[in-house]
Amino acid sequence: MRVRQVRQLSTVALFLCAFAALIRLWLVSTRSPHHSKQEATTETSPFELRDQDRERLRALKRSGGTKYYRASAYRRILRHGMWYVTTGPPPPPGGQNRSPVEISIYGAYIDTRDKKNLLIRAFGVSNSSSETPVRCLVWYLGFADAVMSNATVYDTGRGLYSNELSFQERMYACQPPENIEALPKLVAFTFEIDDVNPIPIVAPLPASDFQHDIGLCTAITYGYADPLWLVEWIEFNRLLGITEINFHVSNVSDEVTTVLAYYVRTGLVRVKPVAAPVTESCFWCMKLATIPILNDCMYRNMYRYRYLAVTDVDEIVVPRRHDSLRDLLRHLDVFYPSPAYIFSNVYFFLDFPLSPFQENGSATRPTTVPVLTTMTKLWRLKPSKRGYATKSLVNPRLCEVVQNHYCLRRTADVSKEYWATEVKHDLGLLHHYKKCHFELEECRRLLPSYFKDNSVEKFKDNLVFRVKETLANISVAIQSSRI
């Protein structure tokens, strides 16, 4: 009896094993190619140092043609938890500089667009002269010695200069050794090799398709922001076809935090906290962070966004003839193909009078309908002079440095004569909603010269519905102070 039971159990066990094997075989055979490709890419890290890479690095070290550096210790200095700080020698006694020179780096990225000329780019600010030599130290995973070279320094902004402060936005670039398949893992930019602060390198890698036709990177939302306007602004951009928005925030209110948290849960918004790259506290100190954070946003999303929009939260790029920015881009790509499209600035000053708010043809506004700035501020000025306060939609794969107005440096394969198209005013404009910020006399001259522009009214019904729905979902009482 016992032998028979053992045989029966063995038969059942064999059957279960065979059944499990068949299930595994079926899962493998029905797995989508995309899924298999994802698994293949995660099994091998682009930072993994292969045997041939390791031997190449050793050969370079033996040849003496490339300088190497092995630090006994590293200093991890993170200012405000996000800026990698490296300091130079202290200033000489009696000199004008009151503090040592320093570099504050927000992020570092490997640029693989030119396969024959890989570059590491890092964005930050510094109080040093652009002529001050900066060394670049590059580490590979599993190789203790850093490869040392000289960094190239580029100014990327207008800087902050006063009696007390002197800082400049910068991009630092250096080239890793040739013929190494693995990507470098860490980089440090330093004045003296005794002060080394390694930075993790972000590796934007090409993808088979874009996740978003248009992604938006905002400049810094700092201090007070009207939460109702923020809902209206986000919903208007979503209505226009922007499917992901990156916010960079500092010291915002609880109401704004609640609004952004709601949109983060929907997947439309991503939020990063931002702090000034310097120890001093001032509005322009915070503004120094703008170009580094925008380029961080661009490099991280280079292969996720087909086009990148960069605007402030008081600006909206509005198509005039088309129903969305995606439709407008399709038109521009056919008739005016370009690496970037520049939109002229138009002021809808909040000082201008209100237009009657109508919903579904009725001039009586129900109490449940919020007063929308874009639907009541319909008076504007003529477009600003060419190049003033413009904003752009940029192909990020053809841009090396982006500013909050345009692409500052293009890739080498972009023609210098044909790097951007200025969009005709009858196709699209940048609507800019703010109080008149010029000198008093200039505002007095400009304010009487407004005229009405109804171009946004075609979006009214959808926008009102979306704002009402969002406010109900957020379930917080939000009052606007813009009107």
Side-chain angles (χ1 to χ4, degrees):
M1 180 67 69
R2 234 177 242 180
V3 173
R4 186 181 302 169
Q5 288 178 342
V6 169
R7 286 177 179 173
Q8 289 175 345
L9 289 173
S10 299
T11 302
V12 171
L14 288 171
F15 174 78
L16 291 174
C17 289
F19 182 74
L22 286 172
I23 293 295
R24 285 197 298 270
L25 182 61
W26 177 78
L27 288 173
V28 170
S29 64
T30 56
R31 182 178 294 157
S32 67
H34 179 68
H35 186 83
S36 301
K37 186 176 180 180
Q38 280 188 327
E39 285 195 345
T41 56
T42 55
E43 286 174 1
T44 304
S45 167
F47 299 108
E48 184 177 335
L49 198 63
R50 299 163 183 81
D51 292 339
Q52 60 267 31
D53 292 336
R54 197 183 310 277
E55 184 54 38
R56 172 66 178 163
L57 289 169
R58 289 170 180 165
L60 286 172
K61 186 176 180 180
R62 289 193 298 268
S63 68
T66 304
K67 293 183 179 180
Y68 282 78
Y69 170 72
R70 176 172 293 185
S72 57
Y74 305 113
R75 294 203 309 156
R76 178 55 57 90
I77 303 176
L78 274 174
R79 179 173 293 160
H80 307 308
M82 63 191 69
W83 296 92
Y84 294 84
V85 181
T86 299
T87 56
Q96 292 184 351
N97 292 332
R98 301 181 183 181
S99 58
V101 293
E102 69 174 32
I103 300 173
S104 295
I105 298 291
Y106 187 75
Y109 320 87
I110 183 71
D111 191 340
T112 63
R113 286 174 285 189
D114 185 349
K115 301 300 181 184
K116 298 180 179 179
N117 187 31
L118 296 185
L119 283 175
I120 299 170
R121 304 184 191 274
F123 293 88
V125 303
S126 178
N127 60 353
S128 68
S129 164
S130 59
E131 304 299 323
T132 303
V134 176
R135 291 185 177 90
C136 173
L137 303 175
V138 177
W139 285 267
Y140 287 89
L141 191 65
F143 198 81
D145 296 318
V147 182
M148 186 164 60
S149 61
N150 292 324
T152 306
V153 182
Y154 303 91
D155 289 348
T156 58
R158 57 186 179 183
L160 170 61
Y161 300 96
S162 68
N163 294 332
E164 300 294 329
L165 300 173
S166 177
F167 285 92
Q168 177 68 55
E169 303 96 326
R170 297 253 166 82
M171 178 180 74
Y172 299 88
C174 61
Q175 192 169 10
E178 296 179 355
N179 302 325
I180 305 298
E181 292 185 17
L183 299 181
K185 184 68 174 176
L186 298 170
V187 66
F189 297 91
T190 180
F191 301 107
E192 296 182 331
I193 59 174
D194 293 332
D195 183 15
V196 177
N197 193 0
I199 307 165
I201 297 175
V202 176
L205 298 176
S208 58
D209 199 5
F210 303 115
Q211 296 182 30
H212 303 274
D213 276 346
I214 309 172
L216 193 153
C217 297
T218 67
I220 302 169
T221 303
Y222 174 70
Y224 178 76
D226 179 11
L228 177 55
W229 163 253
L230 201 57
V231 171
E232 179 182 351
W233 183 86
I234 292 172
E235 292 299 338
F236 205 151
N237 277 291
R238 179 159 68 167
L239 192 61
L240 294 174
I242 292 174
T243 50
E244 188 167 84
I245 303 175
N246 297 269
F247 278 90
H248 305 91
V249 301
S250 177
N251 196 30
V252 295
S253 67
D254 292 341
E255 290 82 4
V256 167
T257 301
T258 300
V259 169
L260 294 178
Y262 165 77
Y263 281 109
V264 168
R265 291 193 296 272
T266 67
L268 176 64
V269 162
R270 300 196 297 178
V271 179
K272 273 191 174 183
V274 177
V278 296
T279 56
E280 292 80 5
S281 177
C282 67
F283 174 75
W284 289 106
C285 298
M286 180 62 70
K287 293 284 282 185
L288 280 171
T290 300
I291 292 177
I293 65 161
L294 288 179
N295 281 278
D296 176 79
C297 188
M298 182 183 75
Y299 274 84
R300 289 178 183 274
N301 296 298
M302 181 176 295
Y303 298 105
R304 297 181 69 245
Y305 300 163
R306 179 169 169 263
Y307 274 95
L308 171 71
V310 177
T311 70
D312 296 327
V313 293
D314 57 359
E315 301 168 328
I316 304 174
V317 178
V318 178
R320 313 283 288 183
R321 298 184 193 172
H322 300 83
D323 292 332
S324 71
L325 287 175
R326 285 183 294 184
D327 292 341
L328 173 58
L329 277 173
R330 292 189 190 102
H331 175 84
L332 294 173
D333 285 343
V334 171
F335 295 99
Y336 311 95
S338 176
Y341 298 108
I342 298 177
F343 294 83
S344 297
N345 175 73
V346 171
Y347 284 118
F348 288 74
F349 282 139
L350 302 182
D351 312 74
F352 294 154
L354 285 170
S355 297
F357 185 91
Q358 298 183 6
E359 186 185 31
N360 299 326
S362 172
T364 303
R365 181 176 66 86
T367 57
T368 56
V369 180
V371 177
L372 300 185
T373 299
T374 55
M375 298 301 145
T376 54
K377 294 296 183 179
L378 302 178
W379 305 91
R380 70 169 174 90
L381 299 177
K382 293 180 179 180
S384 302
K385 63 181 180 180
R386 184 183 181 189
Y388 177 82
T390 59
K391 287 296 188 289
S392 305
L393 294 178
V394 177
N395 179 341
R397 292 160 301 287
L398 297 177
C399 185
E400 293 181 357
V401 181
V402 70
Q403 285 187 332
N404 50 338
H405 296 292
Y406 48 81
C407 174
L408 178 66
R409 289 180 61 90
R410 281 78 62 188
T411 55
D413 54 341
V414 174
S415 169
K416 294 182 180 179
E417 292 77 24
Y418 191 63
W419 65 272
T421 294
E422 295 182 46
V423 177
K424 293 181 179 180
H425 295 171
D426 64 338
L427 289 176
L429 287 169
L430 176 73
H431 290 206
H432 203 159
Y433 299 92
K434 65 187 301 184
K435 288 186 177 292
C436 185
H437 58 291
F438 300 118
E439 296 292 336
L440 180 59
E441 290 302 317
E442 179 68 5
C443 286
R444 286 175 176 171
R445 184 185 71 82
L446 289 173
L447 291 180
S449 59
Y450 58 81
F451 59 95
K452 196 169 186 178
D453 183 341
N454 296 320
S455 59
V456 299
E457 289 194 330
K458 62 183 177 180
F459 303 108
K460 178 180 63 179
D461 291 342
N462 284 335
L463 182 61
V464 169
F465 174 79
R466 291 188 178 199
V467 171
K468 288 170 62 177
E469 185 179 47
T470 299
L471 293 179
N473 290 336
I474 292 176
S475 69
V476 293
I478 299 178
Q479 300 297 324
S480 175
S481 62
R482 296 178 69 84
I483 306 302

